[in-house]
Amino acid sequence: MSKHAILSASSAHRWLICTRAPRLEQEFADNSGEAAAEGSAAHALAEHKLRKALKLRTKRPVSKYDSDEMEAATDGYVDFVLEILAGLKQTCSDPTILIEQRLDFSRFVPDGFGTGDCVVIGDRTLHIVDFKFGWTLVHAEENPQMKLYGLSALELFDGIYDISEVSMSIYQPRRENASTYTVFKESLYQWAEEILVPTAKLAFEGGGEFVPGDHCQFCRAAVKCRARAEEKLNLARFEFSLPPVLTDDDIEGIIAKLDDLTAWANDIRNYALEAALNHGKRWCGFKLVEGRSNRRYKNEEAVAEAAKAAGYRDIYRQSLITLTEMEKLMSKAKFSEILGELIEKPPGKPALVPITDKRPEINTSAKQDFKEEI
């Protein structure tokens, strides 16, 4: 069996919409890069800490991505899982917890399998917990990856435990996101029968249509997908005319697609640059040049010694360590006690986002009333 499933759980949000994508992606190399490597390191550390908390044999992994942020994030993940386990123990004397468990959902998806970060099973409720260290916000509600893991775990344990519902949680510390979505197992099986199975069959066979959208973000074929290009170029027909030329509906349509359009344009630019830099590709009307850069010290200690030897003394500046470092130095309790009243979180820069965004809306009515009075 291949290392990666063609219809993986993590890519289900794509192939459930764009059924042609999985087969096309096979033609492209997996260049997931530093973000994926950092995520793998965070998962390895989270697994170690959870095993240690459960008094299981484990060896701490070491990577170049180790950081205070990763330490705090993985500690929080362990606390999150242990809280779920403690809750189950109140009604179930022998709950089961599985860490980095291989989950097979091939009954529903051809050759389908994946790895669940943590599965906790007790009477009545089966918990699926997914640790995400990335920046792209992911919610548990109607999340197809979590549903696939839920179906897999039900296949393993539904006959052993009296399970009536599946609770799916995503713990994403970088986005201060801990979301949980719970469904009855009958609803999960109904979704599998009516939507998952027929769509997975179509995707595995390479049938259906190319359907561009937000799900293209992590598709390996996105940069050369004609359907996605046609969608973006169709938006460009507006030629970004000045707002008075466009209707409000036009502007709303453009705003909704700007982020994805920008991402697509950057993907094309990066692809062209990589082809020119590493494969000698020459693009008509373009040339490869060295970009602008800023000066920097080769060796700060040598610079300091040379400056001091020349009689210059005022060459250092002093600043406080970061909030994260300070909190780790003091512990969270002491940090709150000593510095709590001296810490503030200023409002962020206003941003126009989709109505589905979880953040509360800014009230601008007062500003509008002021303008009308003037």
Side-chain angles (χ1 to χ4, degrees), residues 43-44 46-47 50-51 77 81 97-103 114-120 128-133 145-146 149 169-171:
H43 274 80
E47 178 186 1
L50 184 53
R51 288 186 179 279
Y77 166 72
V81 173
I97 181 167
L98 305 173
I99 306 168
E100 292 297 314
Q101 173 68 29
R102 181 184 173 89
L103 296 171
T115 302
D117 293 340
C118 184
V119 180
V120 189
I128 307 292
V129 185
D130 195 46
F131 173 58
K132 294 193 180 297
F133 195 59
Q145 177 183 9
M146 303 300 285
Y149 288 164
S169 298
I170 287 177
Y171 184 80

Side-chain angles (χ1 to χ4, degrees), residues 154-223:
L154 279 174
E155 290 289 285
L156 291 172
F157 297 101
D158 197 17
I160 302 174
Y161 292 88
D162 183 19
I163 299 171
S164 60
E165 62 182 21
V166 179
S167 181
M168 298 163 280
S169 298
I170 287 177
Y171 184 80
Q172 190 176 16
R174 278 179 162 172
R175 296 303 304 268
E176 299 180 353
N177 170 40
S179 58
T180 298
Y181 179 63
T182 302
V183 296
F184 290 113
K185 70 176 182 182
E186 289 80 12
S187 298
L188 205 53
Y189 281 128
Q190 182 180 3
W191 170 78
E193 179 182 352
E194 297 178 359
I195 297 175
L196 176 62
V197 171
T199 307
K201 182 177 184 297
L202 191 64
F204 191 76
E205 295 171 351
E209 301 293 334
F210 288 107
V211 182
D214 294 341
H215 51 273
C216 296
Q217 182 178 1
F218 295 108
C219 178
R220 299 204 299 270
V223 70

